[in-house]
Amino acid sequence: MPGMVLYERRGAAALVTIARPERRNAVDGPTAAALAEALDRFERDDARVLVLTGTGEQAFCAGADLKALHTLDVDAPGGPLGITRRTSPKPTIAAINGWCLAGGLELALWCDLRIATADAKLGFTERRFGVPLIDGGTQRLPRIVGLGRALDMILSGRIVEAEEAERFGLLTEIVPAGRHLERALEIAEALAQFPQQTMLADRAAALEGIGLTLEEGMRLEARSALPTRETAWAGASRFAAGEGRGGAGAGV
Protein backbone atom coordinates (compact mmCIF):
# COMPACT_ATOMS: atom_id res chain seq x y z
CA MET A 1 0.00 0.00 0.00
CA PRO A 2 1.38 3.46 -0.85
CA GLY A 3 3.08 5.26 2.00
CA MET A 4 0.42 8.01 2.27
CA VAL A 5 -1.91 5.50 3.98
CA LEU A 6 -0.56 3.10 6.59
CA TYR A 7 -2.25 -0.17 7.52
CA GLU A 8 -1.24 -2.06 10.63
CA ARG A 9 -2.73 -4.50 13.09
CA ARG A 10 -3.18 -3.37 16.67
CA GLY A 11 -4.62 -6.35 18.48
CA ALA A 12 -8.12 -6.98 17.15
CA ALA A 13 -8.13 -3.70 15.24
CA ALA A 14 -6.88 -2.62 11.84
CA LEU A 15 -5.36 0.83 12.24
CA VAL A 16 -5.58 2.88 9.04
CA THR A 17 -3.61 6.13 9.15
CA ILE A 18 -3.63 8.93 6.59
CA ALA A 19 0.04 9.93 6.56
CA ARG A 20 0.26 13.32 4.85
CA PRO A 21 0.92 15.65 7.79
CA GLU A 22 2.56 18.23 5.52
CA ARG A 23 -0.88 18.65 3.88
CA ARG A 24 -2.86 18.26 7.12
CA ASN A 25 -3.68 14.75 5.88
CA ALA A 26 -5.67 16.11 2.95
CA VAL A 27 -6.63 13.46 0.41
CA ASP A 28 -5.42 13.46 -3.19
CA GLY A 29 -6.08 10.80 -5.83
CA PRO A 30 -3.37 8.35 -4.76
CA THR A 31 -4.42 8.70 -1.12
CA ALA A 32 -8.04 8.00 -2.02
CA ALA A 33 -6.96 4.89 -3.91
CA ALA A 34 -4.89 3.81 -0.91
CA LEU A 35 -7.87 4.26 1.43
CA ALA A 36 -9.93 2.05 -0.87
CA GLU A 37 -7.16 -0.55 -0.81
CA ALA A 38 -7.06 -0.36 3.00
CA LEU A 39 -10.80 -1.05 3.21
CA ASP A 40 -10.41 -3.97 0.80
CA ARG A 41 -7.69 -5.37 3.06
CA PHE A 42 -9.81 -4.87 6.18
CA GLU A 43 -12.68 -6.76 4.60
CA ARG A 44 -10.35 -9.71 3.90
CA ASP A 45 -8.52 -9.46 7.24
CA ASP A 46 -9.65 -11.12 10.47
CA ALA A 47 -9.43 -7.74 12.22
CA ARG A 48 -12.78 -7.02 13.87
CA VAL A 49 -12.76 -3.20 13.94
CA LEU A 50 -11.21 -0.53 11.71
CA VAL A 51 -9.76 2.57 13.40
CA LEU A 52 -9.20 5.52 11.06
CA THR A 53 -6.89 8.38 12.05
CA GLY A 54 -4.40 10.92 10.70
CA THR A 55 -0.71 11.50 11.33
CA GLY A 56 0.56 14.39 13.42
CA GLU A 57 -0.90 16.84 15.89
CA GLN A 58 -2.58 19.29 13.52
CA ALA A 59 -5.33 17.36 11.80
CA PHE A 60 -7.36 14.21 11.42
CA CYS A 61 -8.01 15.19 7.81
CA ALA A 62 -8.49 18.60 6.21
CA GLY A 63 -10.53 17.18 3.32
CA ALA A 64 -9.61 16.94 -0.33
CA ASP A 65 -6.20 18.30 -1.30
CA LEU A 66 -7.12 21.53 -3.08
CA LYS A 67 -3.77 21.57 -4.86
CA ALA A 68 -4.45 18.17 -6.37
CA LEU A 69 -8.17 18.19 -7.14
CA HIS A 70 -7.45 17.08 -10.69
CA THR A 71 -6.19 13.75 -9.32
CA LEU A 72 -9.52 12.89 -7.63
CA ASP A 73 -12.16 10.85 -9.43
CA VAL A 74 -15.56 12.32 -8.58
CA ASP A 75 -17.28 9.35 -10.23
CA ALA A 76 -15.29 6.64 -8.43
CA PRO A 77 -17.55 3.81 -7.17
CA GLY A 78 -16.18 4.30 -3.65
CA GLY A 79 -16.51 8.09 -3.82
CA PRO A 80 -13.89 10.74 -4.53
CA LEU A 81 -12.17 10.00 -1.20
CA GLY A 82 -12.04 6.27 -1.92
CA ILE A 83 -14.39 4.73 0.64
CA THR A 84 -17.29 7.05 1.42
CA ARG A 85 -19.78 5.40 -0.93
CA ARG A 86 -19.04 1.98 0.49
CA THR A 87 -20.27 0.44 3.74
CA SER A 88 -17.81 -1.39 5.94
CA PRO A 89 -19.02 -4.86 6.93
CA LYS A 90 -17.48 -4.42 10.40
CA PRO A 91 -17.42 -1.57 12.95
CA THR A 92 -15.37 1.55 12.30
CA ILE A 93 -14.05 4.23 14.65
CA ALA A 94 -12.58 7.64 13.81
CA ALA A 95 -9.78 8.83 16.13
CA ILE A 96 -9.81 12.61 15.67
CA ASN A 97 -7.53 15.43 16.74
CA GLY A 98 -7.21 18.95 15.40
CA TRP A 99 -8.85 19.85 12.10
CA CYS A 100 -11.60 17.60 10.78
CA LEU A 101 -12.93 19.57 7.85
CA ALA A 102 -14.82 19.21 4.59
CA GLY A 103 -14.14 15.75 3.15
CA GLY A 104 -12.28 14.92 6.34
CA LEU A 105 -15.51 15.38 8.27
CA GLU A 106 -17.25 13.18 5.71
CA LEU A 107 -14.65 10.47 6.38
CA ALA A 108 -15.34 10.81 10.12
CA LEU A 109 -19.08 10.56 9.47
CA TRP A 110 -18.43 7.37 7.49
CA CYS A 111 -17.27 5.80 10.75
CA ASP A 112 -19.68 4.35 13.32
CA LEU A 113 -18.07 6.11 16.29
CA ARG A 114 -16.00 9.29 16.60
CA ILE A 115 -13.49 9.78 19.44
CA ALA A 116 -11.87 13.23 19.55
CA THR A 117 -9.58 15.41 21.60
CA ALA A 118 -10.84 18.69 23.04
CA ASP A 119 -9.00 20.69 20.37
CA ALA A 120 -10.89 19.03 17.51
CA LYS A 121 -12.65 21.39 15.12
CA LEU A 122 -15.25 20.08 12.69
CA GLY A 123 -17.00 21.75 9.79
CA PHE A 124 -17.96 21.82 6.13
CA THR A 125 -15.67 24.71 5.30
CA GLU A 126 -15.95 24.06 1.57
CA ARG A 127 -19.25 25.97 1.80
CA ARG A 128 -17.39 29.28 1.45
CA PHE A 129 -15.85 28.16 -1.87
CA GLY A 130 -19.03 26.78 -3.42
CA VAL A 131 -17.82 23.18 -3.35
CA PRO A 132 -20.64 20.63 -2.79
CA LEU A 133 -20.60 17.75 -0.34
CA ILE A 134 -20.18 14.60 -2.41
CA ASP A 135 -18.72 12.11 0.06
CA GLY A 136 -21.84 11.40 2.10
CA GLY A 137 -22.03 14.48 4.31
CA THR A 138 -25.56 15.49 3.32
CA GLN A 139 -26.83 11.98 4.01
CA ARG A 140 -24.89 10.78 7.04
CA LEU A 141 -24.88 13.93 9.17
CA PRO A 142 -28.71 14.24 9.38
CA ARG A 143 -28.90 10.56 10.34
CA ILE A 144 -26.41 11.13 13.16
CA VAL A 145 -27.47 14.49 14.64
CA GLY A 146 -30.91 15.17 13.17
CA LEU A 147 -31.94 17.37 10.27
CA GLY A 148 -31.96 20.69 12.13
CA ARG A 149 -28.40 20.40 13.47
CA ALA A 150 -27.20 19.01 10.16
CA LEU A 151 -28.66 21.88 8.14
CA ASP A 152 -27.02 24.36 10.49
CA MET A 153 -23.59 22.89 9.69
CA ILE A 154 -24.28 22.22 6.01
CA LEU A 155 -25.73 25.65 5.20
CA SER A 156 -23.41 27.80 7.29
CA GLY A 157 -20.15 25.90 6.92
CA ARG A 158 -19.32 27.03 10.45
CA ILE A 159 -16.62 25.32 12.47
CA VAL A 160 -17.95 23.41 15.48
CA GLU A 161 -15.76 22.95 18.56
CA ALA A 162 -15.48 19.51 20.16
CA GLU A 163 -17.61 20.30 23.21
CA GLU A 164 -20.57 21.41 21.11
CA ALA A 165 -20.12 18.49 18.72
CA GLU A 166 -20.28 16.02 21.60
CA ARG A 167 -23.31 17.75 23.08
CA PHE A 168 -25.44 17.18 19.99
CA GLY A 169 -24.15 13.72 19.22
CA LEU A 170 -21.67 14.33 16.43
CA LEU A 171 -18.82 13.11 18.66
CA THR A 172 -19.13 9.95 20.70
CA GLU A 173 -16.56 10.95 23.32
CA ILE A 174 -13.97 13.65 24.06
CA VAL A 175 -10.64 12.56 25.53
CA PRO A 176 -7.52 14.37 26.80
CA ALA A 177 -4.96 15.61 24.31
CA GLY A 178 -3.01 12.82 22.66
CA ARG A 179 -5.32 10.04 23.87
CA HIS A 180 -7.74 9.83 20.93
CA LEU A 181 -6.02 6.88 19.27
CA GLU A 182 -5.45 5.02 22.52
CA ARG A 183 -9.13 5.37 23.45
CA ALA A 184 -10.32 4.32 20.00
CA LEU A 185 -8.19 1.19 20.21
CA GLU A 186 -9.55 0.46 23.70
CA ILE A 187 -13.08 0.61 22.35
CA ALA A 188 -12.09 -1.56 19.38
CA GLU A 189 -10.74 -4.25 21.71
CA ALA A 190 -13.92 -4.14 23.79
CA LEU A 191 -16.12 -4.51 20.69
CA ALA A 192 -13.96 -7.40 19.52
CA GLN A 193 -14.73 -9.35 22.70
CA PHE A 194 -18.48 -9.43 22.14
CA PRO A 195 -20.11 -12.33 20.23
CA GLN A 196 -19.58 -11.07 16.70
CA GLN A 197 -22.50 -12.63 14.87
CA THR A 198 -25.18 -10.89 16.89
CA MET A 199 -23.31 -7.59 17.14
CA LEU A 200 -22.80 -7.45 13.37
CA ALA A 201 -26.43 -8.42 12.74
CA ASP A 202 -27.64 -5.62 15.02
CA ARG A 203 -25.27 -3.14 13.39
CA ALA A 204 -26.45 -4.08 9.91
CA ALA A 205 -30.11 -3.80 10.92
CA ALA A 206 -29.52 -0.32 12.37
CA LEU A 207 -27.65 0.91 9.29
CA GLU A 208 -30.01 -0.63 6.75
CA GLY A 209 -33.12 0.40 8.68
CA ILE A 210 -32.50 4.13 8.28
CA GLY A 211 -35.17 5.50 5.97
CA LEU A 212 -37.54 2.57 6.38
CA THR A 213 -40.91 2.85 8.05
CA LEU A 214 -41.10 1.41 11.56
CA GLU A 215 -43.03 -1.58 10.24
CA GLU A 216 -40.44 -2.25 7.54
CA GLY A 217 -37.63 -1.78 10.02
CA MET A 218 -39.12 -4.24 12.46
CA ARG A 219 -39.32 -6.85 9.70
CA LEU A 220 -35.70 -6.16 8.81
CA GLU A 221 -34.66 -6.56 12.45
CA ALA A 222 -36.50 -9.88 12.70
CA ARG A 223 -34.81 -11.19 9.54
CA SER A 224 -31.39 -10.05 10.79
CA ALA A 225 -31.86 -11.87 14.09
CA LEU A 226 -32.86 -15.22 12.59
CA PRO A 227 -29.34 -16.52 11.84
CA THR A 228 -28.17 -15.59 15.36
CA ARG A 229 -30.58 -17.80 17.29
CA GLU A 230 -28.04 -20.41 18.33
CA THR A 231 -25.63 -17.73 19.59
CA ALA A 232 -28.49 -15.90 21.31
CA TRP A 233 -29.74 -18.98 23.16
CA ALA A 234 -26.23 -19.84 24.29
CA GLY A 235 -25.70 -16.31 25.59
CA ALA A 236 -29.06 -16.24 27.35
CA SER A 237 -28.23 -19.52 29.03
CA ARG A 238 -24.93 -18.14 30.33
CA PHE A 239 -26.70 -15.10 31.72
CA ALA A 240 -29.32 -17.30 33.39
CA ALA A 241 -26.48 -19.24 35.01
CA GLY A 242 -25.13 -16.04 36.58
CA GLU A 243 -22.65 -14.66 34.06
CA GLY A 244 -22.71 -10.90 33.48
CA ARG A 245 -24.96 -10.00 36.42
CA GLY A 246 -24.85 -6.42 37.65
CA GLY A 247 -23.76 -5.13 34.24
CA ALA A 248 -20.42 -6.93 34.28
CA GLY A 249 -18.86 -6.92 30.83
CA ALA A 250 -21.17 -4.20 29.50
CA GLY A 251 -19.98 -0.92 28.04
CA VAL A 252 -16.61 0.10 26.67
Side-chain angles (χ1 to χ4, degrees), residues 164-239:
E164 182 184 2
E166 183 189 36
R167 189 165 63 245
F168 62 70
L170 175 52
L171 293 180
T172 308
E173 185 177 331
I174 297 175
V175 297
R179 197 169 180 270
H180 54 297
L181 180 55
E182 177 186 355
R183 180 58 179 148
L185 291 169
E186 287 176 356
I187 294 173
E189 286 297 329
L191 296 182
Q193 301 309 308
F194 293 137
Q196 295 296 292
Q197 185 184 28
T198 47
M199 185 185 72
L200 294 179
D202 289 344
R203 175 182 181 269
L207 292 175
E208 294 170 19
I210 293 293
L212 299 180
T213 65
L214 178 59
E215 182 179 0
E216 292 167 337
M218 294 298 288
R219 287 198 294 267
L220 170 64
E221 181 183 80
R223 291 195 302 272
S224 296
L226 281 175
T228 73
R229 283 183 175 178
E230 184 175 339
T231 300
W233 282 114
S237 297
R238 293 198 305 274
F239 182 78

Side-chain angles (χ1 to χ4, degrees), residues 74 76-87 102-111 114 124 126 131-145 150 154 170 210:
V74 296
L81 299 189
I83 60 175
T84 52
R85 293 177 189 162
R86 297 170 59 180
T87 300
L105 177 52
E106 291 180 284
L107 284 172
L109 295 171
W110 176 81
C111 295
R114 284 156 294 281
F124 292 126
E126 67 267 56
V131 178
L133 308 182
I134 55 174
D135 276 283
T138 65
Q139 300 306 301
R140 291 194 175 95
L141 186 60
R143 287 163 165 80
I144 293 168
V145 304
I154 291 169
L170 175 52
I210 293 293

Side-chain angles (χ1 to χ4, degrees), residues 125-163:
T125 50
E126 67 267 56
R127 173 58 57 235
R128 68 192 69 176
F129 305 115
V131 178
L133 308 182
I134 55 174
D135 276 283
T138 65
Q139 300 306 301
R140 291 194 175 95
L141 186 60
R143 287 163 165 80
I144 293 168
V145 304
L147 183 59
R149 293 285 192 181
L151 284 174
D152 172 29
M153 293 186 67
I154 291 169
L155 296 177
S156 71
R158 71 183 182 91
I159 294 175
V160 175
E161 303 283 344
E163 184 178 351

Side-chain angles (χ1 to χ4, degrees), residues 5 12 33 44 65 70 84-85 157 192 204 232 234-235 250:
V5 173
R44 298 190 303 266
D65 188 337
H70 64 284
T84 52
R85 293 177 189 162

